[in-house]
Amino acid sequence: MDRNRIRRWKAPKTIGTDRRTVVILFLIWGLPVFGWEVPKKEILNLSLWKKTGVVQNSEPGKKNFLKPKENTPKQGELFFDFEGEVREPQTTETGIPFKSKSISVVSSSYLVDGQTYFFGRKSAYFSGRRNQIHLSVSGNSLFGTHPDPFTITIPIRLGEQGAGSVILDRTVFVKGKKYGISLELNESKPTVSVNNLLQKSDGRTTSFTLESPVKIKRKTWEVISIYFDTINHKFVLYQNGIETAEYENKQADTLGFGFPENDSTPLVLGKSFYGNIDGFHIHKGEPEFEYTKFESVRYDDETKIGYMEGSTALSPVLETKYSNSSLLRIHWNVEQPKDTMLELYFRGTNQKFLDTNTSLPWTRIKSLDKELPKNKFKYYQWKLWFRPDPMGKSVPNVQSLAFEYTEQTPPDLPTRFRLESNPLVGKPLCFLWNSNHEKEVQNGGGYIIHYGLLPNRMLGSVFVKKDKNGNLTKIDGNEEDSGFQNKRFCITEETLVNNIYIPEGELTSEEYRPLADQVDHSRKEKRGLLFQPGLTYYFRISAYNRYLNEWDSKDQRSPLSPPISFSFPKEVSN
């Protein structure tokens, strides 16, 4: 049987093996799928992930996935991301700091859609006239008689219906004359009607229309922005940051732009619309000339340096069942549009660390199955770095991520541990046992003989011996007259002394220090007791891999064997 054979989805029996392969698949929508037995503590919860500019997203027909956050407004009079209650669809999770006191929700009716969204994790779905949001704007200066330049931005997702819709409306009839603004779709083309809001010197008012020649695509998020330049009497319609219609009035008799005085007419959002709205936004000033849904490349003319920060997703510190695991390959399912970047980083060690650790270096994964990090680990962490395309139009996303690694299982306990014969007084106490099959024990590992006064309480241990040159070395059982089924080691009082009192510096090399369990590097360290006549001693043996380290790899030692006993005779004098 090949003990190191990899089987990804069905676990063979682990008896008689010294390594195992584990596949952990981190499905972005919740729980991992396991290839082999994995401790339950490895189950991930997305709420534990540190996300910098990354969200768990969802689209119809797709599972949840990770991608960078969309850009959100930095200032404004009003911003609806529909994360809050239907009766008050204000921002809650995105933390946008502005909410106009002079714009309030009079009534609100829409369906919450948690599967389709532009900002956050929800959007509002409108189904004709049954769903509308009425906003009171009469106290806001932007909807007064002399407003400053302002912009209304509406991200929409048009449904199967809705080619002829009224998305936004604030109109009032005064003496049979229509005043106000409206945004409609005519055969899926945005049309902005401005009714009698331009004021003439003779007291008259005039109207105009912005008609876009570009159709709104169905089932795709499109951003419509209307810019009202009330100072220069210029009005522009944008679709996804691109100007599609413009009206400018330079006539000398045009005095200004403004809504009727004391107009209490509500601003109606989704008046007769079929589809989704998210991120409805009103703010002073003009919109971005080039709309970007995500972060775009920036360039500093003075320093001549361009840069894009990107976004990161950081996992918690994860733990394998056994120490000294080795990364074999990585599997992931991603979408990476042209000119975007997606990088994966990995770090791991046998020593426990915090996810805030800055001294443990990250390794960038260049290949999913070649040139992977060689360091052994029990604790590990991964990091994803997302970068949109330079125009900020598209981003990569990750649907699933899997790490396949080989764990270093501890050795089996040695078998047939026994006394060679009843020793004579003053002669060595010799033990026999069968050799362990694990190559990590045979090559660089060894054995420890434990002893105590009770079967289950060991008070001392023998883990080193002196070679022919007088140097301390590991116990491997390869003594004279030993064999594969008769590993042999004899203990004398000198052996106990060598293990109880270790001179300073003798075990400072990496090869021997882990065995000594030296917490204190004092001149001498007491580690056991000498045999005394008239007492019964119990002995047990354990095997350890060459990876054993008492600080971070204690699991690389086998359980202790069943105890055997020996009673040291005592001479009683009168």
Side-chain angles (χ1 to χ4, degrees):
M1 175 181 175
D2 183 0
R3 291 192 296 270
N4 292 326
R5 183 175 58 184
I6 297 172
R7 299 181 64 186
R8 290 186 56 194
W9 300 114
K10 185 178 180 182
K13 295 180 179 179
T14 56
I15 297 177
T17 64
D18 52 8
R19 306 183 81 185
R20 69 172 190 166
T21 299
V22 180
V23 180
I24 303 182
L25 183 62
F26 300 107
L27 301 178
I28 301 302
W29 51 91
L31 304 180
V33 172
F34 305 124
W36 289 31
E37 178 189 357
V38 178
K40 291 183 179 179
K41 69 180 76 171
E42 303 235 18
I43 294 178
L44 290 185
N45 184 334
L46 276 178
S47 64
L48 299 177
W49 295 10
K50 285 190 174 181
K51 294 160 279 192
T52 306
V54 175
V55 296
Q56 180 186 359
N57 210 336
S58 178
E59 291 180 5
K62 277 188 178 182
K63 296 291 187 181
N64 290 358
F65 55 92
L66 290 180
K67 76 168 190 176
K69 286 182 179 178
E70 294 88 348
N71 284 334
T72 55
K74 301 297 186 295
Q75 59 184 352
E77 296 291 314
L78 184 71
F79 178 76
F80 281 169
D81 64 358
F82 301 99
E83 301 294 302
E85 299 294 332
V86 172
R87 65 178 181 274
E88 183 77 10
Q90 279 303 122
T91 174
T92 57
E93 294 185 7
T94 56
I96 302 300
F98 49 87
K99 175 183 177 182
S100 175
K101 295 181 180 179
S102 58
I103 301 178
S104 60
V105 178
V106 177
S107 63
S108 179
S109 172
Y110 62 86
L111 300 176
V112 176
D113 189 342
Q115 297 297 315
T116 305
Y117 34 78
F118 191 77
F119 294 112
R121 298 180 180 226
K122 301 175 186 176
S123 68
Y125 178 76
F126 293 81
S127 179
R129 296 182 181 275
R130 291 178 297 176
N131 300 126
Q132 297 180 5
I133 297 176
H134 288 234
L135 299 171
S136 173
V137 297
S138 58
N140 188 276
S141 61
L142 298 183
F143 296 91
T145 54
H146 301 287
D148 293 329
F150 70 99
T151 298
I152 299 176
T153 298
I154 312 176
I156 66 170
R157 188 174 187 271
L158 186 61
E160 290 295 341
Q161 304 179 50
S165 301
V166 180
I167 301 174
L168 184 73
D169 181 80
R170 188 188 187 230
T171 57
V172 62
F173 287 88
V174 179
K175 296 180 180 181
K177 196 172 182 179
K178 187 176 183 180
Y179 295 86
I181 59 174
S182 66
L183 170 62
E184 303 179 12
L185 293 182
N186 294 319
E187 296 181 354
S188 299
K189 298 176 182 179
T191 301
V192 177
S193 299
V194 180
N195 299 297
N196 294 300
L197 298 185
L198 279 175
Q199 301 156 0
K200 296 293 185 176
S201 58
D202 58 3
R204 293 182 301 108
T205 56
T206 187
S207 306
F208 63 89
T209 302
L210 298 174
E211 294 183 284
S212 170
V214 181
K215 288 186 175 182
I216 295 291
K217 297 178 182 178
R218 296 179 185 274
K219 294 187 176 181
T220 301
W221 283 106
E222 303 262 347
V223 179
I224 302 174
S225 293
I226 313 166
Y227 175 48
F228 298 85
D229 185 350
T230 57
I231 296 176
N232 299 306
H233 307 148
K234 184 178 179 179
F235 309 90
V236 187
L237 175 64
Y238 296 91
Q239 288 175 237
N240 298 324
I242 300 173
E243 181 181 318
T244 57
E246 176 187 298
Y247 173 81
E248 186 174 9
N249 190 307
K250 294 184 177 181
Q251 297 174 11
D253 64 342
T254 302
L255 297 180
F257 174 95
F259 293 87
E261 191 174 3
N262 301 320
D263 182 8
S264 60
T265 306
L267 179 68
V268 183
L269 180 62
K271 186 172 183 178
S272 59
F273 176 61
Y274 293 86
N276 294 73
I277 296 177
D278 195 7
F280 174 65
H281 183 213
I282 302 173
H283 65 90
K284 293 181 180 180
E286 59 186 357
E288 293 187 20
F289 289 112
E290 183 178 357
Y291 168 77
T292 58
K293 188 174 181 181
F294 304 97
E295 173 195 3
S296 59
V297 68
R298 286 169 285 175
Y299 179 72
D300 190 320
D301 285 319
E302 294 183 2
T303 62
K304 309 301 181 185
I305 295 176
Y307 54 96
M308 291 183 75
E309 295 177 357
S311 306
T312 59
L314 183 66
S315 79
V317 177
L318 307 168
E319 182 180 356
T320 64
K321 185 173 183 180
Y322 298 107
S323 64
N324 292 279
S325 299
S326 302
L327 195 59
L328 292 180
R329 60 184 57 86
I330 300 171
H331 312 267
W332 68 3
N333 185 15
V334 302
E335 289 183 1
Q336 189 171 357
K338 183 181 179 182
D339 296 333
T340 64
M341 292 184 68
L342 178 62
E343 300 288 357
L344 174 63
Y345 296 84
F346 180 90
R347 63 179 180 177
T349 177
N350 278 322
Q351 298 176 357
K352 195 168 186 177
F353 64 95
L354 299 176
D355 57 8
T356 55
N357 186 300
T358 57
S359 60
L360 184 64
W362 291 94
T363 299
R364 184 167 67 89
I365 303 299
K366 301 177 182 179
S367 169
L368 299 180
D369 55 3
K370 298 177 182 178
E371 299 181 8
L372 294 173
K374 301 297 183 183
N375 52 300
K376 304 288 186 178
F377 61 89
K378 179 177 175 63
Y379 303 94
Y380 67 101
Q381 190 178 24
W382 54 261
K383 178 169 64 175
L384 287 166
W385 183 73
F386 302 80
R387 201 218 69 193
D389 70 279
M391 286 73 70
K393 300 293 185 182
S394 58
V395 291
N397 65 75
V398 179
Q399 289 97 39
S400 62
L401 177 62
F403 291 88
E404 187 175 343
Y405 56 82
T406 299
E407 287 186 330
Q408 183 63 57
T409 58
D412 294 334
L413 60 87
T415 57
R416 295 193 65 226
F417 181 54
R418 60 200 186 277
L419 284 169
E420 183 179 40
S421 61
N422 289 326
L424 300 176
V425 177
K427 296 295 181 179
L429 193 63
C430 296
F431 300 91
L432 298 175
W433 66 91
N434 287 357
S435 173
N436 275 62
H437 59 81
E438 297 91 355
K439 62 181 181 180
E440 283 80 7
V441 176
Q442 298 173 7
N443 301 323
Y447 300 89
I448 302 175
I449 295 176
H450 311 262
Y451 62 96
L453 297 175
L454 295 171
N456 293 317
R457 186 183 179 189
M458 301 292 101
L459 301 176
S461 61
V462 177
F463 56 93
V464 292
K465 65 180 179 180
K466 282 194 174 181
D467 60 16
K468 294 180 181 179
N469 298 321
N471 298 319
L472 294 178
T473 185
K474 299 177 182 180
I475 296 175
D476 54 15
N478 297 326
E479 311 298 324
E480 187 176 349
D481 298 328
S482 66
F484 187 82
Q485 293 186 337
N486 291 285
K487 289 287 183 179
R488 185 171 184 270
F489 184 72
C490 298
I491 296 177
T492 64
E493 186 168 286
E494 182 185 2
T495 307
L496 295 180
V497 171
N498 290 334
N499 281 270
I500 293 172
Y501 300 106
I502 302 173
E504 182 183 17
E506 287 287 335
L507 295 179
T508 56
S509 69
E510 289 296 327
E511 185 177 6
Y512 297 112
R513 279 190 60 213
L515 300 177
D517 193 13
Q518 290 175 306
V519 178
D520 178 17
H521 296 289
S522 59
R523 288 186 174 273
K524 293 182 179 180
E525 182 182 355
K526 189 174 181 179
R527 298 186 53 82
L529 74 164
L530 297 175
F531 296 146
Q532 301 176 49
L535 294 177
T536 297
Y537 285 80
Y538 295 88
F539 299 90
R540 307 174 77 175
I541 192 171
S542 65
Y544 62 87
N545 289 332
R546 57 190 172 93
Y547 300 110
L548 175 68
N549 186 299
E550 290 294 340
W551 286 276
D552 52 36
S553 299
K554 290 184 178 181
D555 58 2
Q556 296 304 310
R557 186 166 60 195
S558 76
L560 273 62
S561 68
I564 59 175
S565 61
F566 180 78
S567 299
F568 289 87
K570 182 176 183 178
E571 297 291 338
V572 179
S573 60
N574 294 329

